[in-house]
Amino acid sequence: MSIVGTRVVRVEDEKLITSGGTYVDDLREAALTGAVHAVFVRSPIAHARISGIDTEEAKQAPGVVGVFTAADLDLAPLPTGPVTEPFLATDVVRYVGEPVALVLTEERYQLADAAELVDVDYDPLDAVASIDAALSGETELFPGGGVTGNVMQVNGAEEFDDAAFADCDAVVTQTILNPRVAPASLEVRGGSAAWGEDGRLTLWLSTQNAQIARTTVAGALGLDEDRVRVIAPDVGGGFGAKIGADPEASLLGWAARAVGRPVRWTESRSENLTAMTHGRAQQNTVTIGGKRDGTVLAYRIDVVQDSGAYPRAMFLPTLTEMMAPGVYRFPVVQTRSRCVVTNTTPIAAYRGAGRPEATAAVERAMDLFAAEIGMDPAEVRRVNFIRPEEFPYTTPTGGDYDTGEYAAALDKALEAAGYAELRAEQELRRAAGDPVALGLGIAAYVEITGGDANGESGRVDIHEDGSVTAYTGSSPHGQGLATSLAMLLSDQLGVPLAKITVKHGDTDEVPRAVGTFGSRSLQLGGSAIRQAADEVIAQARELAADLLEAAPEDLELDTERGVWQVRGAPSSTTLDWARIVSSAERTALSADVWFGDGKPTFPFGAHLAVVEVDTETGKVEVRRLVAVDDAGPVVNPLTFRGQRHGGLGQGIAQALLEVVNYDEDGNPTTATLADYSFVTATELPDFELVDMATPTTRNLLGVKGIGEAATIGSTPAVHNAVVDALAHLGVRHLDMPTTPMRVWAALNDVRKAN
Amino acid sequence: MRVSIEVNGRTTAGEVPDRTLLVHYLRDTVGLTGTNIGCDTTSCGACTVLFDGESVKSCTVLAAQADGHEVTTVEGLAGDDGELHPVQRAFREQHGLQCGFCTPGMMMASVSLLKENPRPSRREVREALEGNLCRCTGYHNIVSAVVEASGAEVDR
């Protein structure tokens, strides 16, 4: 029986539950002996001109090994969009948390004392602390830099064409905020740098992609790539915000060279919440129009992306535009996007990166349209779904969808939840004037995975003792990919899991790779491993043919027993992997491949949220969350469901609680976990998952990505549910997060208006 | 100052600055890095250990306060023969961890919970673990793990 598709506990867990694993701050490598500790002095002001920095007193503090500012650096600033971002601020700081100086000390506890003595003179400038302030252009972050106002990028229509909405019976327009959130991996950012006597830099980094980090750091330091080795040890969460290397990582390498000693850095949580990139932060204005029978004729989204102080990720609104129509066969889709800069922390990828924003917008729009024409939200969706027979389907925004069963996914979710009964309960409670209102929220979604159009590396070695080592270019950090890949190999080669080792995240072991983001790992990294194993099997077939004096095509690999034999003659002589490898007079059979056809896949699903809203206090409680998530065939149901649980947790948190806030001067007001509403166990329900599997034809495994899917569906499901709970009281829309205060205020507004 | 603390049944001692936190003593002086640090405000619970059998966040205890006391960390959870603690087994069986960073603290808090309440309901587990943050799992499987460790049936 095949191990693939069965529930297998993770091979990763043993060390994590016994010794707690080895994260970057846990490293006790010999190469780090005598390391100094690093801290970044960061701007406490959102927008200011630096008129002077005095480091003399800091340099005299106990244990100080070095204090560096921009004047000491010989690094070219990083290009970010049409502007550049300095490693340490030069003349102007543009957000609270921007690095201004780097301090190195002998002992960890000396860092904060010394950093306080770096004396920076700031002449405050007006802060641009919101999208509206950025668009007004009154204060510019990059005056005279060839940038108009604060707009860094414009895509799509200059003027929208209203004719598309001319034949509609109903048209609805709404501005929907997708709030800024903090990725907040539980392990903060950190790294260690050491130069070897051979002139090579080794950097241990909490990163999702050691190879991208190597390219970035080598580029920043002006080194050939082979002079930099990056190792990702155990990584305590990334969620997109640890893709590659942040500027701080390059500075660690620079500083280690400057002082001639290894350097260790671990940021604090408040640094993490102000200086690690944030996610989302879009203001989307949607217009939807159609017929009273539910048919949508045209959909428009005008995206404004708050990029923060430096536009590090202008692909985010582009992805939102592409995924704008979601699961629907809208005849006309109009999009535009603008990236603006503000005096806030830079925005970059966060679980879903551009797609949750698209889904949140279109799923709110569908509910608004349904309410306008007086139709059930589930029914409006059914009318407009792309149908199974229409795949592959190209959307008006260029999405090249592979396969989908959108109506079936929604039906499964509604059936599992008992939708009709829930609606009946809602009616009863409304009729009885129950102060605790019931709300039902639907989100049907499709997302793009492996959408970066690059492939992934995979190498499989079978050793003389019959054990297997696989090297993957993916770089898991909690996803359980090592277990999934070992399962694939066990299935294909007939080798038990205990004899399979999966390696990743070290550029010396895996020189070519893209890494983990965009839910790409199994479909690309897994396919690469499968292809490499196929090649090893082909090599073995030739060797086995020589040994058994048979034609290669007459041989078969018995994967139950892990032996080669003549087909149809199971009692004949068999050869195990060890025998075959030794016959080759090599230490290992090996194949090293690159898999990728450049085509993404499109997982989909439907979520239904049931919430209870206390109309007297505004408190929202998620009573149930039913999720259908279809990412094709499942390799390991354990990790597949685990990824969905995690996604649901983060998605629900965004709808209900999480938001990074700034005051009008650009001061962050959510800079600790005491202020930032991180979701705890008490706010979440037990999740109800329904499985469904529609394969893709775009990779060797038929699989699609699952890492981000549940985040994407759950946010609008919960958001819609909260609005639905209040609909009978006259609330039409409410922005996220639907905190008690916001819900209460909305109710108060409608009560006053009535 | 000089402190002497029994960690996982073994006497440890070291000369540390007065302001040394217990978590740094465990990690840097004793060399047990299983106890993690996730925040500055005693909010995340990643550093939870048992202090004379009670769960505490070791980022809020001075090493000096632990002088002469007993501390158990994740490294001391399994038996001397390497046999996993029921909580460790349950976290693995129920997939109660993903990246693993919160896991040591989460397991130590769970051990403490089960000592106080040997058969908690799922709701009680959720409430008891409110001081331990996890970013990966959505908590569902952590709750299942604690229920399994209590000896109750878990519906997968």
Side-chain angles (χ1 to χ4, degrees):
Chain A
M1 191 193 121
S2 171
I3 192 173
V4 170
T6 64
R7 186 184 192 277
V8 175
V9 295
R10 300 197 315 175
V11 299
E12 290 91 337
D13 289 351
E14 183 79 22
K15 63 177 179 177
L16 295 173
I17 58 176
T18 54
S19 67
T22 308
Y23 302 91
V24 71
D25 197 42
D26 299 341
L27 292 167
R28 299 294 183 264
E29 306 278 330
L32 292 172
T33 306
V36 296
H37 297 264
V39 69
F40 291 90
V41 177
R42 297 181 181 275
S43 173
I45 297 180
H47 199 193
R49 189 165 295 283
I50 297 174
S51 55
I53 307 179
D54 184 350
T55 60
E56 283 313 307
E57 202 181 344
K59 282 176 176 165
Q60 305 307 318
V64 169
V65 177
V67 181
F68 303 105
T69 67
D72 302 306
L73 298 183
D74 51 1
L75 305 175
L78 297 159
T80 47
V83 296
T84 58
E85 178 173 357
F87 283 91
L88 294 173
T90 51
D91 52 340
V92 174
V93 288
R94 296 187 176 85
Y95 66 97
V96 172
E98 181 164 358
V100 177
L102 173 62
V103 176
L104 304 177
T105 63
E106 295 283 355
E107 303 290 337
R108 192 194 297 267
Y109 277 29
Q110 293 163 339
L111 290 171
D113 297 341
E116 263 188 19
L117 299 174
V118 175
D119 188 11
V120 186
D121 287 331
Y122 295 102
D123 296 334
L125 299 166
D126 288 341
V128 178
S130 67
I131 285 174
D132 287 344
L135 286 173
S136 81
E138 280 173 29
T139 299
E140 293 195 331
L141 269 63
F142 298 93
V147 175
T148 308
N150 294 303
V151 181
M152 296 286 129
Q153 170 180 277
V154 181
N155 288 330
E158 188 116 317
E159 291 289 331
F160 287 117
D161 178 9
D162 288 335
F165 294 90
D167 294 333
C168 296
D169 298 334
V171 178
V172 187
T173 292
Q174 178 68 49
T175 296
I176 300 169
L177 294 176
N178 205 299
R180 171 188 291 254
V181 291
S185 51
L186 210 62
E187 182 207 22
V188 294
R189 294 178 303 165
S192 294
W195 289 83
E197 288 176 6
D198 56 0
R200 283 185 92 206
L201 169 66
T202 301
L203 197 58
W204 293 264
L205 209 56
S206 184
T207 179
Q208 298 175 217
N209 330 61
Q211 294 77 12
I212 292 177
R214 171 199 57 196
T215 302
T216 301
V217 173
L221 299 182
L223 300 168
D224 289 338
E225 284 199 8
D226 60 10
R227 284 190 60 202
V228 179
R229 177 185 187 185
V230 175
I231 300 171
D234 289 325
V235 171
F239 311 111
K242 288 182 183 170
I243 294 176
D246 282 352
E248 286 90 339
S250 298
L251 280 182
L252 298 181
W254 181 90
R257 188 166 58 186
V259 299
R261 290 173 64 178
V263 173
R264 310 181 71 113
W265 170 61
T266 303
E267 70 180 348
S268 68
R269 177 57 65 183
S270 54
E271 260 184 299
N272 175 267
L273 287 170
T274 50
M276 187 188 214
T277 52
H278 293 154
R280 311 282 188 260
Q282 278 185 11
Q283 178 178 293
N284 297 318
T285 302
V286 297
T287 305
I288 189 166
K291 296 290 190 185
R292 296 227 165 261
D293 67 1
T295 312
V296 174
L297 298 181
Y299 175 67
R300 171 189 298 170
I301 182 167
D302 187 0
V303 179
V304 186
Q305 173 76 59
D306 179 353
S307 291
Y310 299 95
R312 289 190 191 175
M314 294 198 297
F315 68 92
L316 294 171
T318 309
L319 261 176
T320 304
E321 286 184 88
M322 183 182 148
M323 297 310 295
V327 286
Y328 306 110
R329 51 208 298 277
F330 298 150
V332 176
V333 181
Q334 300 176 345
T335 72
R336 174 171 76 152
S337 72
R338 288 168 287 174
C339 285
V340 301
V341 283
T342 57
N343 292 120
T344 59
T345 299
I347 295 290
Y350 169 58
R351 203 169 194 165
R355 295 100 80 193
E357 297 87 332
T359 307
V362 74
E363 289 304 287
R364 272 304 298 140
M366 290 302 276
D367 266 21
L368 285 161
F369 179 63
E372 188 73 16
I373 61 172
M375 190 180 265
D376 186 275
E379 195 50 38
V380 169
R381 285 172 172 81
R382 275 199 199 95
V383 170
N384 292 284
F385 280 139
I386 300 163
R387 294 165 194 150
E389 65 275 15
E390 293 177 297
F391 292 94
Y393 183 92
T394 304
T395 71
T397 53
D400 175 19
Y401 295 179
D402 49 356
T403 52
E405 293 275 355
Y406 303 153
L410 178 61
D411 288 345
K412 279 177 188 284
L414 299 185
E415 190 190 332
Y419 186 67
E421 293 81 358
L422 286 165
R423 281 284 178 216
E425 181 188 343
Q426 182 181 51
E427 278 310 307
L428 280 175
R429 284 166 70 163
R430 284 178 178 178
D434 191 334
V436 179
L438 190 70
L440 309 182
I442 294 171
Y445 72 88
V446 57
E447 82 125 332
I448 177 171
T449 62
D452 57 295
N454 295 307
E456 193 52 272
S457 67
R459 176 179 149 196
V460 172
D461 293 356
I462 305 188
H463 307 285
E464 284 174 310
D465 64 353
S467 67
V468 178
T469 308
Y471 299 85
T472 176
S474 294
S475 199
H477 37 284
Q479 292 90 341
L481 186 73
T483 302
S484 298
L485 296 184
M487 289 169 69
L488 289 173
L489 285 170
S490 175
D491 193 54
Q492 211 176 346
L493 302 173
V495 174
L497 283 183
K499 293 186 78 171
I500 300 172
T501 305
V502 178
K503 297 196 168 190
H504 56 80
D506 179 337
T507 59
D508 274 10
E509 288 182 344
V510 185
R512 291 187 309 154
V514 178
T516 292
F517 58 86
S519 301
R520 67 197 305 285
S521 292
L522 189 60
Q523 57 186 320
L524 297 173
S527 291
I529 289 294
R530 169 139 294 185
Q531 190 177 322
D534 279 340
E535 290 192 14
V536 172
I537 288 171
Q539 293 168 17
R541 182 181 299 280
E542 296 295 327
L543 293 166
D546 279 349
L547 291 168
L548 294 174
E549 296 178 343
E553 59 273 18
D554 289 341
L555 297 182
E556 65 180 3
L557 171 61
D558 177 348
T559 55
E560 291 294 318
R561 295 188 293 160
V563 294
W564 287 86
Q565 62 198 13
V566 177
R567 195 185 308 277
S571 57
S572 68
T573 309
T574 60
L575 301 172
D576 64 13
W577 281 105
R579 177 78 182 86
I580 289 175
V581 176
S582 59
S583 81
E585 294 177 355
R586 281 185 276 171
T587 54
L589 281 187
S590 181
D592 193 351
V593 308
W594 187 267
F595 175 84
D597 69 356
K599 283 201 164 186
T601 64
F602 293 84
F604 61 90
H607 291 182
L608 185 112
V610 183
V611 304
E612 288 187 333
V613 181
D614 186 327
T615 56
E616 286 165 1
T617 65
K619 183 171 190 276
V620 178
E621 192 161 319
V622 181
R623 197 170 89 182
R624 296 176 64 190
L625 198 300
V626 179
V628 178
D629 302 294
D630 187 331
V634 174
V635 173
N636 186 355
L638 178 96
T639 51
F640 178 71
R641 297 188 137 220
Q643 289 293 290
R644 292 162 70 189
H645 288 163
L648 290 170
Q650 278 176 297
I652 294 168
Q654 193 198 339
L656 294 182
L657 289 173
E658 289 195 26
V659 61
V660 172
N661 279 323
Y662 291 88
D663 70 14
E664 60 189 14
D665 296 321
N667 296 306
T669 57
T670 44
T672 71
L673 287 181
D675 301 308
Y676 185 74
S677 294
F678 203 105
V679 70
T680 76
T682 50
E683 287 90 26
L684 297 178
D686 289 331
F687 304 123
E688 301 167 58
L689 304 189
V690 181
D691 294 336
M692 179 169 167
T694 307
T696 183
T697 55
R698 292 184 179 171
N699 60 61
L700 302 181
L701 303 167
V703 302
K704 308 179 183 185
I706 193 62
E708 298 155 289
T711 330
I712 294 169
S714 56
T715 304
V718 172
H719 188 193
N720 282 339
V722 176
V723 179
D724 180 64
L726 308 176
H728 65 298
L729 300 171
V731 174
R732 178 177 163 276
H733 178 76
L734 194 63
D735 277 318
M736 295 187 288
T738 56
T739 57
M741 180 57 96
R742 187 168 272 165
V743 171
W744 182 85
L747 286 169
N748 212 30
D749 285 347
V750 292
R751 279 170 191 146
K752 269 191 214 154
N754 295 336
Chain B
M1 69 173 290
R2 186 163 183 80
V3 295
S4 173
I5 304 170
E6 193 177 311
V7 180
N8 300 333
R10 193 170 62 87
T11 301
T12 67
E15 189 70 36
V16 296
D18 293 355
R19 59 180 171 172
T20 302
L21 299 171
L22 177 58
V23 66
H24 285 130
Y25 176 81
L26 293 170
R27 291 176 54 83
D28 298 336
T29 306
V30 184
L32 294 175
T33 56
T35 304
N36 292 325
I37 303 170
C39 70
D40 327 322
T41 47
T42 318
S43 304
C44 80
C47 68
T48 304
V49 299
L50 302 182
F51 185 107
D52 292 339
E54 303 258 329
S55 71
V56 299
K57 293 180 176 176
S58 61
C59 71
T60 318
V61 177
L62 292 167
Q65 290 173 288
D67 187 31
H69 292 269
E70 290 177 16
V71 172
T72 308
T73 71
V74 66
E75 290 94 339
L77 210 46
D80 290 339
D81 55 358
E83 191 186 341
L84 296 180
H85 187 281
V87 164
Q88 288 174 307
R89 279 206 304 273
F91 268 71
R92 185 177 63 188
E93 289 301 320
Q94 291 294 333
H95 190 31
L97 63 150
Q98 290 187 19
C99 82
F101 196 82
C102 75
T103 309
M106 200 63 90
M107 291 195 303
M108 301 317 284
S110 301
V111 169
S112 183
L113 159 66
L114 291 173
K115 202 171 118 189
E116 288 170 28
N117 182 356
R119 277 296 177 111
S121 68
R122 293 185 72 91
R123 189 73 231 165
E124 286 171 335
V125 174
R126 288 185 176 279
E127 281 164 12
L129 294 181
E130 200 178 25
N132 288 71
L133 301 180
C134 168
R135 195 59 161 170
C136 298
T137 66
Y139 299 106
H140 180 109
N141 284 347
I142 291 175
V143 177
S144 296
V146 178
V147 170
E148 177 168 304
S150 79
E153 284 288 311
V154 177
D155 179 18
R156 278 178 190 152

